[in-house]
Amino acid sequence: MSIEHGASGRRSIQVEAEVPGLPEEVWEAIATGPGIGSWFYPTELEGRVGGVLKYDTQSEMVHVPAKVTVWDPPRRFRHDGKDCGPDGPPTATEWIVEPRSRGCVVRVVHSLFASTGDWDNYLESFEDGWPQALAILRLYLTHFRGQRATIVRASGSHDGSVRDAWQALLEELGAAGLGPGDRWELAEGGDAGLGGIFDELRPEGRQPYVLLRLDRPVPGIAAASAYKMSTRAAVMLSLYLYGGEGAPAARAEVFWQAWVKARFP
């Protein structure tokens, strides 16, 4: 883990990725509620200094709304909050957009403010999770820019290591041995079944993941990953369905949540 130690107890990590689009298009995706809700979590965001940002992570964890402290479109914004939970130290997340000749670099700097390293495991989890999130952002901006998503998430746990959970998840998905550009189908679930093109595989690190660009049941993105959660390994399947409102999304949500729970209780 590459934690930078700054003045006054600031401890931070940063992750970046190249994405397609003009700065204004990238800003729309990372700095508006509808934009963020199309590739990350459903989000409420007031775009101004002093505005409130609130993620709906669809989990039991208590999320304290953050406050926007820097607002400089389309280049930079920052929100300060309590990303480690209500009893944790203050945190800050800064988003920076830098134009390039063929797109932009998006940089996320995630910080917490503490006098000891007792909360560094949270920074480790942030550093593990942001690469997948930014990879989903890249795929969204490449193929689904400006479209709104219905998000389906299903999670479970595994008694083995993260590596064991990851291998088990790949096997259950029928994705072991596939590579970018390969066709992938998981016909279980009937008209809720998934199919598409294998886009990206990151098999190493503390949070391995795979991304697939879906064409069934509707166009979208599927992301599957394994990671450490408390004393057990966890798995997560996330679907971002574009134009999938109504029956297709409802059927996918019911089926895939049950599918994951049956294999990773």
Side-chain angles (χ1 to χ4, degrees):
M1 182 173 58
S2 52
I3 295 179
E4 294 186 8
H5 296 182
S8 305
R10 181 176 182 268
R11 312 165 78 84
S12 66
I13 58 93
Q14 63 177 335
V15 180
E16 65 180 44
E18 294 187 13
V19 300
L22 298 172
E24 293 78 9
E25 294 171 320
V26 176
W27 184 264
E28 173 71 20
I30 68 166
T32 69
I36 299 168
S38 294
W39 62 272
F40 194 43
Y41 293 111
T43 301
E44 298 176 17
L45 172 59
E46 298 175 274
R48 59 180 177 84
V49 172
V52 171
L53 180 146
K54 185 176 182 180
Y55 295 126
D56 177 7
T57 61
Q58 302 168 315
S59 72
E60 297 178 357
M61 182 178 175
V62 177
H63 291 273
V64 179
K67 180 176 289 188
V68 176
T69 55
V70 175
W71 186 257
D72 181 21
R75 293 176 288 272
R76 174 174 172 256
F77 85 102
R78 167 176 157 160
H79 50 90
D80 294 5
K82 286 277 193 174
D83 292 342
C84 303
D87 299 324
T91 60
T93 307
E94 184 174 14
W95 293 80
I96 301 163
V97 179
E98 297 179 353
R100 294 289 189 268
S101 59
R102 300 181 65 180
C104 293
V105 169
V106 174
R107 180 175 300 110
V108 181
V109 182
H110 213 137
S111 307
L112 61 80
F113 302 86
S115 58
T116 70
D118 293 347
W119 297 89
D120 282 1
N121 60 311
Y122 281 85
L123 280 179
E124 182 178 294
S125 68
F126 298 147
E127 189 177 44
D128 293 344
W130 278 120
Q132 176 183 301
L134 294 182
I136 296 171
L137 172 64
R138 172 191 56 78
L139 201 54
Y140 165 72
L141 287 168
T142 302
H143 299 286
F144 304 106
R145 186 183 309 167
Q147 299 184 46
R148 300 303 173 231
T150 298
I151 301 174
V152 174
R153 281 194 171 86
S155 61
S157 57
H158 191 277
D159 287 330
S161 65
V162 170
R163 181 58 47 187
D164 293 338
W166 170 242
Q167 292 299 328
L169 181 59
L170 282 182
E171 292 292 338
E172 293 289 352
L173 289 172
L178 295 181
D182 290 343
R183 179 73 193 176
W184 170 81
E185 299 278 351
L186 197 58
E188 296 177 65
D191 58 3
L194 303 177
I197 302 298
F198 206 96
D199 184 85
E200 181 177 339
L201 174 67
R202 185 191 182 196
E204 305 301 330
R206 294 181 296 255
Q207 185 170 325
Y209 66 81
V210 61
L211 296 184
L212 305 125
R213 179 161 55 92
L214 301 176
D215 51 37
R216 62 180 293 260
V218 294
I221 299 168
S225 63
Y227 54 96
K228 186 74 171 179
M229 177 63 74
S230 187
T231 59
R232 302 187 74 188
V235 301
M236 174 73 76
L237 175 65
S238 301
L239 308 178
Y240 301 83
L241 306 177
Y242 302 98
E245 295 181 1
R251 287 193 293 269
E253 182 171 16
V254 170
F255 178 80
W256 290 107
Q257 286 179 348
W259 186 91
V260 170
K261 286 298 183 185
R263 291 158 177 79
F264 301 95

